Amino acid sequence: MYIPAAFRETDLPFIHETMRAAGLANLVTTGTGGLLCTPLPLFLAADEGGMGTLYGHVAKANPQWRETPAADALAIFMGPDAYVTPSWYEGKSRDGKVVPTWNYVAVHAYGPVEFFEDADRLLDVVTRLTDRHESSRPQPWAVGDAPPDFVRAQLRGIVGVRLPIARIDAKRKMSQNRSEADRATVKAELSRSGCDRERRAASLVPE
């Protein structure tokens, strides 16, 4: 990912929070057949390894796990994003020398991927994923709510994913390269948006 110096993000807690907040990631691997990509939820074990470890699972019918990786895998996480119109820049009325852009946060996590079929490890992964996404619900559903034999049968249809993070490229492009006046207008306009994603992007535009 191309990252100009003004947009490079190195704050690991912010990066981890971006990864946690993403509902869905994209897991990219390279095998003998070329690039393979699967959209899937991943959870971060932040205290496992220097930069954390990612866990998830894919369907056993998915050919991605059968391909021996030729290089590190890549997990892509997208944060808040928003279109920025040049109409919000002061240069629009001054000389017209402005163009549209897009503000966004993106995290690329690289590392050696491991696929596994061990039932106990799979149960731990699906339990932690479920608890993560159910915890805020008024009546959370738990894996233990389903019959044990049914759960065991479901586990036979998936393969676990483990990706210890070896390198992170993170980009926070939120109008840092614009003037203070332009940033203030972008922030104000996005804050008024009816789109939650754009309002979250507004909160990341620096004063």
Side-chain angles (χ1 to χ4, degrees):
M1 175 165 56
Y2 170 60
I3 311 178
F7 303 141
R8 181 170 295 279
E9 181 58 62
T10 59
D11 180 30
L12 191 59
F14 174 83
I15 292 169
H16 279 177
E17 182 53 37
T18 299
M19 296 164 81
R20 292 189 187 99
L24 202 66
N26 281 287
L27 177 69
V28 182
T29 57
T30 304
T32 55
L35 288 172
L36 293 166
C37 179
T38 298
L40 75 169
L42 294 171
F43 72 83
L44 172 70
D47 57 352
E48 188 176 327
M51 287 181 281
T53 298
L54 298 167
Y55 286 93
H57 60 83
V58 297
K60 187 167 284 187
N62 186 333
Q64 186 172 19
W65 73 275
R66 297 183 185 276
E67 287 268 358
T68 301
D72 280 353
L74 164 64
I76 302 173
F77 300 83
M78 294 304 299
D81 68 278
Y83 172 75
V84 176
T85 172
S87 299
W88 293 342
Y89 297 151
E90 59 179 356
K92 166 69 165 56
S93 58
R94 184 179 64 245
D95 54 27
K97 296 179 180 180
V98 289
V99 294
T101 192
W102 208 282
N103 279 358
Y104 62 91
V105 174
V107 174
H108 290 185
Y110 302 82
V113 67
E114 172 197 359
F115 296 105
F116 58 88
E117 299 181 77
D118 179 78
D120 290 337
R121 293 179 71 189
L122 283 171
L123 179 60
D124 179 63
V125 167
V126 298
T127 299
R128 293 170 73 177
L129 268 173
T130 300
D131 291 348
R132 178 178 181 271
H133 293 288
E134 289 280 340
S135 61
S136 61
R137 301 178 66 84
Q139 295 180 308
W141 183 87
V143 172
D145 292 343
D149 57 342
F150 173 78
V151 172
R152 285 193 295 271
Q154 294 297 301
L155 293 177
R156 288 194 289 271
I158 62 175
V159 174
V161 176
R162 178 177 181 269
L163 195 162
I165 301 172
R167 176 168 65 92
I168 292 176
D169 287 335
K171 186 174 183 177
R172 182 184 345 199
K173 181 183 176 295
M174 286 292 169
S175 300
Q176 297 99 315
N177 59 330
R178 303 302 307 183
S179 68
E180 183 177 347
D182 283 351
R183 292 198 305 271
T185 304
V186 170
K187 191 178 189 74
E189 293 291 345
L190 291 179
S191 296
R192 286 193 284 268
S193 171
C195 172
D196 177 66
R197 187 188 74 253
E198 293 185 349
R199 292 195 301 272
R200 286 187 289 119
S203 70
L204 296 176
V205 177
E207 300 289 345

